[in-house]
Amino acid sequence: MAITYPPVHTVERIDRSDIDGIIKAIAHNGCCIVKNFTDAATVAKVNEETRPYLDADKPWKGDLFPPETRRCANLAGRSRTAREKWLVDPLLRACNSKFVDKTTSNYYGETEHTYTSQAVCTIAVTFEIGPGGKAQRLHRDDKNYHMYHPDQTKTGYQFGTDVEMAFLIPGVKTTRENGATLAIPGSHLWDSRRVPKIDESVTYAEMEVGDCWIMLGGLYHAGGANITQAERRSVHGLFFSTGYLRQEENIYLANSAEEVLSWSPEAQKALGYSLSSPNIGFVEFIHPLQYLRGVCPEDGLGDFDPSQEKHQ
């Protein structure tokens, strides 16, 4: 099913009570800002729960994040508030149901069965950009899933063509100056060969505390530059992907770390104790085998795939 609108794309700001309006805005623009998603007290509690991990994080060595960015990985495990308030919010379920869940029918013998694979949280993480942090390069989050995007600029958005969406809740007021996410509304409709340009209708996700930025995995966006002298821009991110994009057997719960580390490197890799290029399979931004060994690089973490680094 296609949704067609006039060609103008923008970032709409819609109250959380208007679920139909939110879904239509996302389909048209690839993103939207939800007003009154949460309250200031809940945001303050999540800020408090993540602060020790942000303060303990080290600068990134590579191009994925600027060195001024700090991260709180495992947000859902470390912040009870984010997990029990936001992760399970009915609005997230409604959006994921429309854009990320996949329903198919096939025959089991001579009986037709219909199955729905519901979206799961692929990563929950807090990002904080400090003063002087440079902007990321424009990218699509679903690059991790090797998605091919057809040209939908003439047909309108086709539901079922995305496998990922993100929900970003600001910990502070986000502005263009302190690093608000920048994005190109409508770029989720572009084919995979179209090159994004920074001067191509880029807009900024400037939000108040209590808002939520929602975007599809196929939208070109980037973390903004923080050009302030003292402000730190934090956002709490909940990213969802289609539920079948994982192994059928959850082998990670079936074997102890000691057992896994005794296996051959070939077996470890074949069973998923490895990384899928560019960024799938890490644990707290550490290679899974390093994590099992209790090894964290002393000079900080870096890009998993050097091909994503800028060429000098």
Side-chain angles (χ1 to χ4, degrees), residues 64 136-143 196 217-223:
L64 191 58
Q136 292 179 307
R137 287 180 286 169
L138 288 165
H139 62 279
R140 283 170 158 162
D141 279 346
D142 63 13
K143 68 184 185 299
L219 184 80
Y220 276 107
H221 71 285

Side-chain angles (χ1 to χ4, degrees), residues 57 59-71 123 125-127 129 134-136 139 279 282 285 301-304 308:
D57 197 27
W60 190 263
K61 306 291 184 181
D63 185 56
L64 191 58
F65 305 108
E68 293 81 6
T69 293
R70 297 294 181 268
R71 294 150 295 276
I123 182 173
V125 59
T126 297
F127 299 110
I129 304 176
K134 295 181 180 180
Q136 292 179 307
H139 62 279
N279 304 309
F282 59 79
F285 294 99
L301 306 176
D303 292 351
F304 306 114
Q308 66 190 359

Side-chain angles (χ1 to χ4, degrees), residues 68 88 90 98 113 131 158 168 183 187 206-207 215 268 286:
E68 293 81 6
V88 297
K98 192 67 177 179
H113 291 259
Q158 305 283 328
L168 302 179
S187 60
E206 297 186 298
M207 293 185 284
M215 65 178 174
Q268 291 168 339
I286 300 170

Side-chain angles (χ1 to χ4, degrees), residues 34 55 79 88 105 116 210 213:
V34 175
D55 289 345
S79 170
V88 297
S105 297
T116 295
W213 165 261

